[in-house]
Amino acid sequence: VGAPYIDNVLNGEIPRIESVLDDLNLPSKPFCILLHHSDTYRIQDSGPQIRRIISQLKNQDIHTVVIYPCSDPGYGAIVKEIENLFNNPQFSIFKSIPFRQFLALLANAKFIIGNTSGGILEAPYFDLPFICVGERQKLREMDDNVLQVKANDKDIAHAIEQVMSGAFSPKTSGNQRFGSGIASKLIY
């Protein structure tokens, strides 16, 4: 049947990227998305994990759209690391982004990195690589767009290199693993 949530991803208009970049005051150049939440089973790892991801992104020639984490226990350490980026022009920071604008960003980003379910549920519908860092999403069903990596500098750097070079470039939009946009009709 699929996930009714995916109906919202596949149905409805996605704004033009030019208007989204303008609305969010983002530069018109290649970008990635960083969205990393705390792992409620490993709260103490929250700060070090985001710090490693940010460190590896700083080594790349790509603008990064950073979105605050959800408020799960341990999120404070992540927010603290994000706040250290306020004056770095390589990073644009948002507490949240409206859903349709987020979809437009997914449709146009080079990749998404972190441990958000958005990399698992929404990103495959846009053929978007997801570098899934750490164990928050461990044992979840995932599509072929996911590069699951340990939260260490070497693995994160290697995954970013694979995506940036095009060596990892999934074609998952036709898979419809999580639904085809009609789950609500089939359920109700």
mmCIF file of all heavy atoms in Angstrom, residues 81-128:
data_model
loop_
_atom_site.group_PDB
_atom_site.id
_atom_site.type_symbol
_atom_site.label_atom_id
_atom_site.label_comp_id
_atom_site.label_asym_id
_atom_site.label_seq_id
_atom_site.Cartn_x
_atom_site.Cartn_y
_atom_site.Cartn_z
ATOM 1 N N GLU A 81 26.929 22.950 18.356
ATOM 2 C CA GLU A 81 27.883 22.837 17.240
ATOM 3 C C GLU A 81 27.391 23.635 16.028
ATOM 4 O O GLU A 81 28.186 24.264 15.331
ATOM 5 C CB GLU A 81 28.123 21.374 16.867
ATOM 6 C CG GLU A 81 28.794 20.553 17.946
ATOM 7 C CD GLU A 81 30.173 21.057 18.319
ATOM 8 O OE1 GLU A 81 30.897 21.566 17.435
ATOM 9 O OE2 GLU A 81 30.535 20.937 19.501
ATOM 10 N N ILE A 82 26.099 23.600 15.775
ATOM 11 C CA ILE A 82 25.537 24.364 14.653
ATOM 12 C C ILE A 82 25.738 25.862 14.884
ATOM 13 O O ILE A 82 26.102 26.598 13.960
ATOM 14 C CB ILE A 82 24.042 24.024 14.459
ATOM 15 C CG1 ILE A 82 23.881 22.605 13.912
ATOM 16 C CG2 ILE A 82 23.372 25.034 13.520
ATOM 17 C CD1 ILE A 82 22.449 22.093 13.883
ATOM 18 N N GLU A 83 25.524 26.304 16.104
ATOM 19 C CA GLU A 83 25.669 27.728 16.403
ATOM 20 C C GLU A 83 27.094 28.228 16.192
ATOM 21 O O GLU A 83 27.309 29.411 15.941
ATOM 22 C CB GLU A 83 25.184 28.021 17.828
ATOM 23 C CG GLU A 83 23.673 27.911 17.930
ATOM 24 C CD GLU A 83 23.131 28.061 19.340
ATOM 25 O OE1 GLU A 83 23.912 27.995 20.318
ATOM 26 O OE2 GLU A 83 21.898 28.241 19.461
ATOM 27 N N ASN A 84 28.073 27.332 16.250
ATOM 28 C CA ASN A 84 29.460 27.709 15.959
ATOM 29 C C ASN A 84 29.664 28.064 14.488
ATOM 30 O O ASN A 84 30.707 28.597 14.114
ATOM 31 C CB ASN A 84 30.426 26.582 16.341
ATOM 32 C CG ASN A 84 30.532 26.400 17.843
ATOM 33 O OD1 ASN A 84 30.339 27.336 18.605
ATOM 34 N ND2 ASN A 84 30.822 25.180 18.262
ATOM 35 N N LEU A 85 28.682 27.774 13.648
ATOM 36 C CA LEU A 85 28.788 28.011 12.204
ATOM 37 C C LEU A 85 28.158 29.326 11.762
ATOM 38 O O LEU A 85 28.211 29.663 10.578
ATOM 39 C CB LEU A 85 28.112 26.865 11.438
ATOM 40 C CG LEU A 85 28.660 25.470 11.660
ATOM 41 C CD1 LEU A 85 27.756 24.445 10.987
ATOM 42 C CD2 LEU A 85 30.080 25.367 11.141
ATOM 43 N N PHE A 86 27.550 30.067 12.682
ATOM 44 C CA PHE A 86 26.786 31.259 12.301
ATOM 45 C C PHE A 86 27.555 32.235 11.419
ATOM 46 O O PHE A 86 26.978 32.856 10.551
ATOM 47 C CB PHE A 86 26.263 31.989 13.531
ATOM 48 C CG PHE A 86 24.997 31.401 14.094
ATOM 49 C CD1 PHE A 86 24.729 31.510 15.448
ATOM 50 C CD2 PHE A 86 24.076 30.741 13.306
ATOM 51 C CE1 PHE A 86 23.569 30.972 15.990
ATOM 52 C CE2 PHE A 86 22.921 30.200 13.826
ATOM 53 C CZ PHE A 86 22.667 30.325 15.174
ATOM 54 N N ASN A 87 28.830 32.383 11.613
ATOM 55 C CA ASN A 87 29.599 33.366 10.833
ATOM 56 C C ASN A 87 30.394 32.739 9.697
ATOM 57 O O ASN A 87 31.251 33.398 9.106
ATOM 58 C CB ASN A 87 30.533 34.153 11.760
ATOM 59 C CG ASN A 87 29.737 35.004 12.733
ATOM 60 O OD1 ASN A 87 28.762 35.636 12.347
ATOM 61 N ND2 ASN A 87 30.141 35.003 13.988
ATOM 62 N N ASN A 88 30.129 31.480 9.385
ATOM 63 C CA ASN A 88 30.834 30.800 8.308
ATOM 64 C C ASN A 88 29.963 30.846 7.041
ATOM 65 O O ASN A 88 28.892 30.235 7.001
ATOM 66 C CB ASN A 88 31.137 29.355 8.698
ATOM 67 C CG ASN A 88 32.007 28.645 7.699
ATOM 68 O OD1 ASN A 88 31.920 28.874 6.498
ATOM 69 N ND2 ASN A 88 32.843 27.747 8.188
ATOM 70 N N PRO A 89 30.404 31.547 5.990
ATOM 71 C CA PRO A 89 29.569 31.709 4.789
ATOM 72 C C PRO A 89 29.329 30.416 4.005
ATOM 73 O O PRO A 89 28.471 30.383 3.129
ATOM 74 C CB PRO A 89 30.340 32.728 3.946
ATOM 75 C CG PRO A 89 31.748 32.642 4.434
ATOM 76 C CD PRO A 89 31.684 32.252 5.878
ATOM 77 N N GLN A 90 30.061 29.348 4.334
ATOM 78 C CA GLN A 90 29.843 28.065 3.656
ATOM 79 C C GLN A 90 28.551 27.398 4.136
ATOM 80 O O GLN A 90 28.039 26.498 3.483
ATOM 81 C CB GLN A 90 31.031 27.124 3.909
ATOM 82 C CG GLN A 90 30.934 25.799 3.196
ATOM 83 C CD GLN A 90 32.066 24.844 3.544
ATOM 84 O OE1 GLN A 90 33.010 25.200 4.242
ATOM 85 N NE2 GLN A 90 31.977 23.616 3.062
ATOM 86 N N PHE A 91 28.007 27.865 5.259
ATOM 87 C CA PHE A 91 26.849 27.231 5.884
ATOM 88 C C PHE A 91 25.700 28.227 6.027
ATOM 89 O O PHE A 91 25.885 29.335 6.491
ATOM 90 C CB PHE A 91 27.236 26.692 7.261
ATOM 91 C CG PHE A 91 28.282 25.620 7.224
ATOM 92 C CD1 PHE A 91 29.627 25.954 7.245
ATOM 93 C CD2 PHE A 91 27.934 24.290 7.133
ATOM 94 C CE1 PHE A 91 30.611 24.979 7.197
ATOM 95 C CE2 PHE A 91 28.906 23.294 7.086
ATOM 96 C CZ PHE A 91 30.250 23.646 7.115
ATOM 97 N N SER A 92 24.494 27.796 5.623
ATOM 98 C CA SER A 92 23.273 28.564 5.854
ATOM 99 C C SER A 92 22.438 27.771 6.845
ATOM 100 O O SER A 92 22.160 26.590 6.612
ATOM 101 C CB SER A 92 22.491 28.757 4.555
ATOM 102 O OG SER A 92 23.220 29.552 3.651
ATOM 103 N N ILE A 93 22.046 28.405 7.942
ATOM 104 C CA ILE A 93 21.441 27.695 9.065
ATOM 105 C C ILE A 93 19.973 28.087 9.218
ATOM 106 O O ILE A 93 19.624 29.261 9.192
ATOM 107 C CB ILE A 93 22.227 28.006 10.355
ATOM 108 C CG1 ILE A 93 23.679 27.560 10.165
ATOM 109 C CG2 ILE A 93 21.600 27.339 11.560
ATOM 110 C CD1 ILE A 93 24.629 28.135 11.170
ATOM 111 N N PHE A 94 19.141 27.044 9.423
ATOM 112 C CA PHE A 94 17.701 27.243 9.568
ATOM 113 C C PHE A 94 17.180 26.408 10.724
ATOM 114 O O PHE A 94 17.534 25.238 10.853
ATOM 115 C CB PHE A 94 16.968 26.823 8.286
ATOM 116 C CG PHE A 94 17.384 27.608 7.084
ATOM 117 C CD1 PHE A 94 18.431 27.174 6.288
ATOM 118 C CD2 PHE A 94 16.746 28.795 6.769
ATOM 119 C CE1 PHE A 94 18.846 27.904 5.185
ATOM 120 C CE2 PHE A 94 17.146 29.540 5.671
ATOM 121 C CZ PHE A 94 18.198 29.095 4.876
ATOM 122 N N LYS A 95 16.299 27.003 11.517
ATOM 123 C CA LYS A 95 15.649 26.236 12.588
ATOM 124 C C LYS A 95 14.645 25.265 11.988
ATOM 125 O O LYS A 95 14.439 24.173 12.511
ATOM 126 C CB LYS A 95 15.003 27.164 13.602
ATOM 127 C CG LYS A 95 16.053 27.883 14.427
ATOM 128 C CD LYS A 95 15.471 28.599 15.603
ATOM 129 C CE LYS A 95 16.631 29.176 16.410
ATOM 130 N NZ LYS A 95 16.180 29.930 17.563
ATOM 131 N N SER A 96 14.027 25.659 10.901
ATOM 132 C CA SER A 96 13.126 24.780 10.154
ATOM 133 C C SER A 96 12.956 25.363 8.754
ATOM 134 O O SER A 96 13.276 26.523 8.517
ATOM 135 C CB SER A 96 11.765 24.641 10.844
ATOM 136 O OG SER A 96 11.079 25.865 10.811
ATOM 137 N N ILE A 97 12.453 24.545 7.865
ATOM 138 C CA ILE A 97 12.176 24.969 6.489
ATOM 139 C C ILE A 97 10.800 24.424 6.131
ATOM 140 O O ILE A 97 10.523 23.240 6.371
ATOM 141 C CB ILE A 97 13.256 24.442 5.512
ATOM 142 C CG1 ILE A 97 14.605 25.097 5.824
ATOM 143 C CG2 ILE A 97 12.859 24.682 4.057
ATOM 144 C CD1 ILE A 97 15.760 24.618 4.974
ATOM 145 N N PRO A 98 9.929 25.233 5.560
ATOM 146 C CA PRO A 98 8.603 24.734 5.168
ATOM 147 C C PRO A 98 8.718 23.495 4.261
ATOM 148 O O PRO A 98 9.620 23.389 3.431
ATOM 149 C CB PRO A 98 7.979 25.923 4.431
ATOM 150 C CG PRO A 98 8.661 27.122 5.019
ATOM 151 C CD PRO A 98 10.073 26.670 5.282
ATOM 152 N N PHE A 99 7.771 22.593 4.444
ATOM 153 C CA PHE A 99 7.821 21.280 3.795
ATOM 154 C C PHE A 99 8.040 21.345 2.287
ATOM 155 O O PHE A 99 8.924 20.677 1.744
ATOM 156 C CB PHE A 99 6.535 20.507 4.126
ATOM 157 C CG PHE A 99 6.477 19.141 3.502
ATOM 158 C CD1 PHE A 99 7.358 18.141 3.893
ATOM 159 C CD2 PHE A 99 5.534 18.851 2.528
ATOM 160 C CE1 PHE A 99 7.305 16.882 3.321
ATOM 161 C CE2 PHE A 99 5.467 17.592 1.954
ATOM 162 C CZ PHE A 99 6.363 16.605 2.356
ATOM 163 N N ARG A 100 7.257 22.127 1.574
ATOM 164 C CA ARG A 100 7.387 22.186 0.115
ATOM 165 C C ARG A 100 8.729 22.772 -0.300
ATOM 166 O O ARG A 100 9.323 22.351 -1.295
ATOM 167 C CB ARG A 100 6.237 22.982 -0.513
ATOM 168 C CG ARG A 100 4.903 22.292 -0.376
ATOM 169 C CD ARG A 100 4.663 21.340 -1.528
ATOM 170 N NE ARG A 100 3.583 20.427 -1.210
ATOM 171 C CZ ARG A 100 3.567 19.162 -1.565
ATOM 172 N NH1 ARG A 100 4.546 18.654 -2.264
ATOM 173 N NH2 ARG A 100 2.566 18.382 -1.245
ATOM 174 N N GLN A 101 9.228 23.750 0.440
ATOM 175 C CA GLN A 101 10.558 24.290 0.151
ATOM 176 C C GLN A 101 11.626 23.235 0.430
ATOM 177 O O GLN A 101 12.598 23.115 -0.317
ATOM 178 C CB GLN A 101 10.825 25.557 0.963
ATOM 179 C CG GLN A 101 10.001 26.736 0.493
ATOM 180 C CD GLN A 101 10.350 28.005 1.234
ATOM 181 O OE1 GLN A 101 10.780 27.993 2.378
ATOM 182 N NE2 GLN A 101 10.150 29.144 0.571
ATOM 183 N N PHE A 102 11.436 22.457 1.485
ATOM 184 C CA PHE A 102 12.361 21.369 1.791
ATOM 185 C C PHE A 102 12.399 20.366 0.638
ATOM 186 O O PHE A 102 13.473 19.910 0.232
ATOM 187 C CB PHE A 102 11.960 20.690 3.105
ATOM 188 C CG PHE A 102 12.835 19.530 3.501
ATOM 189 C CD1 PHE A 102 14.172 19.732 3.849
ATOM 190 C CD2 PHE A 102 12.336 18.246 3.527
ATOM 191 C CE1 PHE A 102 14.976 18.659 4.209
ATOM 192 C CE2 PHE A 102 13.127 17.167 3.891
ATOM 193 C CZ PHE A 102 14.457 17.373 4.238
ATOM 194 N N LEU A 103 11.232 20.038 0.094
ATOM 195 C CA LEU A 103 11.188 19.111 -1.045
ATOM 196 C C LEU A 103 11.935 19.687 -2.249
ATOM 197 O O LEU A 103 12.652 18.965 -2.951
ATOM 198 C CB LEU A 103 9.744 18.785 -1.423
ATOM 199 C CG LEU A 103 8.941 17.965 -0.419
ATOM 200 C CD1 LEU A 103 7.516 17.742 -0.930
ATOM 201 C CD2 LEU A 103 9.611 16.647 -0.083
ATOM 202 N N ALA A 104 11.790 20.987 -2.490
ATOM 203 C CA ALA A 104 12.512 21.623 -3.598
ATOM 204 C C ALA A 104 14.018 21.538 -3.368
ATOM 205 O O ALA A 104 14.786 21.304 -4.310
ATOM 206 C CB ALA A 104 12.075 23.070 -3.764
ATOM 207 N N LEU A 105 14.447 21.709 -2.136
ATOM 208 C CA LEU A 105 15.875 21.570 -1.825
ATOM 209 C C LEU A 105 16.338 20.136 -2.058
ATOM 210 O O LEU A 105 17.397 19.908 -2.647
ATOM 211 C CB LEU A 105 16.162 22.007 -0.382
ATOM 212 C CG LEU A 105 15.969 23.491 -0.079
ATOM 213 C CD1 LEU A 105 16.177 23.760 1.413
ATOM 214 C CD2 LEU A 105 16.901 24.355 -0.914
ATOM 215 N N LEU A 106 15.543 19.166 -1.616
ATOM 216 C CA LEU A 106 15.894 17.757 -1.854
ATOM 217 C C LEU A 106 16.007 17.467 -3.348
ATOM 218 O O LEU A 106 16.895 16.729 -3.781
ATOM 219 C CB LEU A 106 14.848 16.827 -1.241
ATOM 220 C CG LEU A 106 14.810 16.691 0.277
ATOM 221 C CD1 LEU A 106 13.648 15.796 0.690
ATOM 222 C CD2 LEU A 106 16.115 16.155 0.825
ATOM 223 N N ALA A 107 15.118 18.031 -4.114
ATOM 224 C CA ALA A 107 15.101 17.779 -5.558
ATOM 225 C C ALA A 107 16.304 18.379 -6.271
ATOM 226 O O ALA A 107 16.607 17.985 -7.398
ATOM 227 C CB ALA A 107 13.812 18.323 -6.172
ATOM 228 N N ASN A 108 17.007 19.300 -5.621
ATOM 229 C CA ASN A 108 18.103 20.002 -6.281
ATOM 230 C C ASN A 108 19.451 19.899 -5.583
ATOM 231 O O ASN A 108 20.448 20.413 -6.090
ATOM 232 C CB ASN A 108 17.726 21.477 -6.454
ATOM 233 C CG ASN A 108 16.625 21.644 -7.477
ATOM 234 O OD1 ASN A 108 16.873 21.681 -8.662
ATOM 235 N ND2 ASN A 108 15.390 21.699 -7.011
ATOM 236 N N ALA A 109 19.500 19.271 -4.423
ATOM 237 C CA ALA A 109 20.751 19.138 -3.675
ATOM 238 C C ALA A 109 21.656 18.092 -4.321
ATOM 239 O O ALA A 109 21.199 17.220 -5.065
ATOM 240 C CB ALA A 109 20.454 18.744 -2.228
ATOM 241 N N LYS A 110 22.953 18.172 -4.023
ATOM 242 C CA LYS A 110 23.910 17.142 -4.457
ATOM 243 C C LYS A 110 23.755 15.898 -3.587
ATOM 244 O O LYS A 110 23.902 14.776 -4.061
ATOM 245 C CB LYS A 110 25.345 17.655 -4.350
ATOM 246 C CG LYS A 110 25.714 18.728 -5.330
ATOM 247 C CD LYS A 110 26.005 18.171 -6.689
ATOM 248 C CE LYS A 110 27.372 17.509 -6.706
ATOM 249 N NZ LYS A 110 27.720 16.932 -7.988
ATOM 250 N N PHE A 111 23.500 16.102 -2.279
ATOM 251 C CA PHE A 111 23.291 14.996 -1.353
ATOM 252 C C PHE A 111 22.734 15.546 -0.046
ATOM 253 O O PHE A 111 22.712 16.750 0.179
ATOM 254 C CB PHE A 111 24.583 14.205 -1.097
ATOM 255 C CG PHE A 111 25.708 14.977 -0.464
ATOM 256 C CD1 PHE A 111 25.888 14.993 0.919
ATOM 257 C CD2 PHE A 111 26.616 15.672 -1.249
ATOM 258 C CE1 PHE A 111 26.941 15.692 1.494
ATOM 259 C CE2 PHE A 111 27.677 16.367 -0.685
ATOM 260 C CZ PHE A 111 27.838 16.383 0.701
ATOM 261 N N ILE A 112 22.265 14.620 0.794
ATOM 262 C CA ILE A 112 21.855 14.949 2.147
ATOM 263 C C ILE A 112 22.709 14.097 3.079
ATOM 264 O O ILE A 112 23.021 12.942 2.758
ATOM 265 C CB ILE A 112 20.332 14.735 2.362
ATOM 266 C CG1 ILE A 112 19.909 15.167 3.768
ATOM 267 C CG2 ILE A 112 19.908 13.338 2.039
ATOM 268 C CD1 ILE A 112 18.388 15.239 3.973
ATOM 269 N N ILE A 113 23.113 14.676 4.202
ATOM 270 C CA ILE A 113 23.967 13.977 5.150
ATOM 271 C C ILE A 113 23.435 14.177 6.553
ATOM 272 O O ILE A 113 22.863 15.214 6.871
ATOM 273 C CB ILE A 113 25.442 14.452 5.022
ATOM 274 C CG1 ILE A 113 26.378 13.614 5.901
ATOM 275 C CG2 ILE A 113 25.569 15.940 5.304
ATOM 276 C CD1 ILE A 113 27.860 13.839 5.625
ATOM 277 N N GLY A 114 23.594 13.188 7.395
ATOM 278 C CA GLY A 114 23.140 13.219 8.775
ATOM 279 C C GLY A 114 22.519 11.889 9.130
ATOM 280 O O GLY A 114 23.029 10.834 8.743
ATOM 281 N N ASN A 115 21.407 11.942 9.843
ATOM 282 C CA ASN A 115 20.720 10.696 10.190
ATOM 283 C C ASN A 115 19.201 10.877 10.195
ATOM 284 O O ASN A 115 18.484 10.173 10.883
ATOM 285 C CB ASN A 115 21.204 10.173 11.551
ATOM 286 C CG ASN A 115 20.948 11.146 12.675
ATOM 287 O OD1 ASN A 115 20.228 12.131 12.512
ATOM 288 N ND2 ASN A 115 21.547 10.895 13.828
ATOM 289 N N THR A 116 18.729 11.810 9.417
ATOM 290 C CA THR A 116 17.303 12.108 9.354
ATOM 291 C C THR A 116 16.528 11.067 8.548
ATOM 292 O O THR A 116 17.039 10.530 7.555
ATOM 293 C CB THR A 116 17.084 13.499 8.728
ATOM 294 O OG1 THR A 116 15.683 13.744 8.625
ATOM 295 C CG2 THR A 116 17.716 13.616 7.355
ATOM 296 N N SER A 117 15.302 10.822 8.951
ATOM 297 C CA SER A 117 14.464 9.908 8.172
ATOM 298 C C SER A 117 14.145 10.491 6.797
ATOM 299 O O SER A 117 13.788 9.764 5.880
ATOM 300 C CB SER A 117 13.179 9.580 8.927
ATOM 301 O OG SER A 117 12.423 10.754 9.141
ATOM 302 N N GLY A 118 14.299 11.814 6.638
ATOM 303 C CA GLY A 118 14.087 12.433 5.328
ATOM 304 C C GLY A 118 15.009 11.871 4.264
ATOM 305 O O GLY A 118 14.658 11.818 3.084
ATOM 306 N N GLY A 119 16.187 11.429 4.655
ATOM 307 C CA GLY A 119 17.105 10.804 3.708
ATOM 308 C C GLY A 119 16.651 9.420 3.291
ATOM 309 O O GLY A 119 17.003 8.929 2.219
ATOM 310 N N ILE A 120 15.844 8.804 4.152
ATOM 311 C CA ILE A 120 15.333 7.456 3.875
ATOM 312 C C ILE A 120 13.990 7.517 3.153
ATOM 313 O O ILE A 120 13.784 6.802 2.172
ATOM 314 C CB ILE A 120 15.197 6.664 5.195
ATOM 315 C CG1 ILE A 120 16.587 6.425 5.795
ATOM 316 C CG2 ILE A 120 14.465 5.354 4.979
ATOM 317 C CD1 ILE A 120 16.566 5.857 7.189
ATOM 318 N N LEU A 121 13.087 8.371 3.628
ATOM 319 C CA LEU A 121 11.730 8.402 3.070
ATOM 320 C C LEU A 121 11.586 9.290 1.840
ATOM 321 O O LEU A 121 11.054 8.853 0.822
ATOM 322 C CB LEU A 121 10.742 8.850 4.148
ATOM 323 C CG LEU A 121 10.549 7.886 5.311
ATOM 324 C CD1 LEU A 121 9.643 8.504 6.370
ATOM 325 C CD2 LEU A 121 9.972 6.566 4.819
ATOM 326 N N GLU A 122 12.030 10.541 1.928
ATOM 327 C CA GLU A 122 11.804 11.479 0.831
ATOM 328 C C GLU A 122 12.894 11.443 -0.232
ATOM 329 O O GLU A 122 12.612 11.497 -1.424
ATOM 330 C CB GLU A 122 11.672 12.920 1.360
ATOM 331 C CG GLU A 122 10.428 13.173 2.155
ATOM 332 C CD GLU A 122 10.699 13.282 3.637
ATOM 333 O OE1 GLU A 122 11.547 12.510 4.144
ATOM 334 O OE2 GLU A 122 10.061 14.129 4.293
ATOM 335 N N ALA A 123 14.147 11.393 0.190
ATOM 336 C CA ALA A 123 15.274 11.521 -0.745
ATOM 337 C C ALA A 123 15.257 10.525 -1.906
ATOM 338 O O ALA A 123 15.598 10.906 -3.026
ATOM 339 C CB ALA A 123 16.604 11.437 0.014
ATOM 340 N N PRO A 124 14.858 9.262 -1.709
ATOM 341 C CA PRO A 124 14.869 8.334 -2.850
ATOM 342 C C PRO A 124 13.974 8.768 -4.009
ATOM 343 O O PRO A 124 14.247 8.444 -5.161
ATOM 344 C CB PRO A 124 14.373 7.007 -2.280
ATOM 345 C CG PRO A 124 14.337 7.136 -0.826
ATOM 346 C CD PRO A 124 14.449 8.588 -0.486
ATOM 347 N N TYR A 125 12.928 9.519 -3.709
ATOM 348 C CA TYR A 125 12.002 9.955 -4.757
ATOM 349 C C TYR A 125 12.615 11.051 -5.638
ATOM 350 O O TYR A 125 12.042 11.410 -6.657
ATOM 351 C CB TYR A 125 10.683 10.414 -4.137
ATOM 352 C CG TYR A 125 9.909 9.232 -3.583
ATOM 353 C CD1 TYR A 125 10.087 8.819 -2.267
ATOM 354 C CD2 TYR A 125 9.057 8.501 -4.398
ATOM 355 C CE1 TYR A 125 9.413 7.702 -1.771
ATOM 356 C CE2 TYR A 125 8.377 7.399 -3.915
ATOM 357 C CZ TYR A 125 8.569 6.995 -2.597
ATOM 358 O OH TYR A 125 7.898 5.890 -2.124
ATOM 359 N N PHE A 126 13.792 11.540 -5.228
ATOM 360 C CA PHE A 126 14.500 12.562 -6.003
ATOM 361 C C PHE A 126 15.874 12.065 -6.467
ATOM 362 O O PHE A 126 16.715 12.863 -6.872
ATOM 363 C CB PHE A 126 14.657 13.842 -5.161
ATOM 364 C CG PHE A 126 13.345 14.413 -4.715
ATOM 365 C CD1 PHE A 126 12.891 14.228 -3.418
ATOM 366 C CD2 PHE A 126 12.544 15.118 -5.602
ATOM 367 C CE1 PHE A 126 11.667 14.743 -3.009
ATOM 368 C CE2 PHE A 126 11.323 15.636 -5.201
ATOM 369 C CZ PHE A 126 10.885 15.443 -3.900
ATOM 370 N N ASP A 127 16.109 10.748 -6.385
ATOM 371 C CA ASP A 127 17.410 10.160 -6.733
ATOM 372 C C ASP A 127 18.541 10.829 -5.950
ATOM 373 O O ASP A 127 19.659 10.977 -6.440
ATOM 374 C CB ASP A 127 17.708 10.277 -8.240
ATOM 375 C CG ASP A 127 16.765 9.437 -9.085
ATOM 376 O OD1 ASP A 127 16.338 8.367 -8.627
ATOM 377 O OD2 ASP A 127 16.454 9.864 -10.210
ATOM 378 N N LEU A 128 18.259 11.234 -4.722
ATOM 379 C CA LEU A 128 19.221 11.983 -3.922
ATOM 380 C C LEU A 128 20.015 11.057 -3.012
ATOM 381 O O LEU A 128 19.442 10.356 -2.179
ATOM 382 C CB LEU A 128 18.491 13.038 -3.075
ATOM 383 C CG LEU A 128 19.375 13.947 -2.233
ATOM 384 C CD1 LEU A 128 20.257 14.825 -3.129
ATOM 385 C CD2 LEU A 128 18.518 14.810 -1.313
#
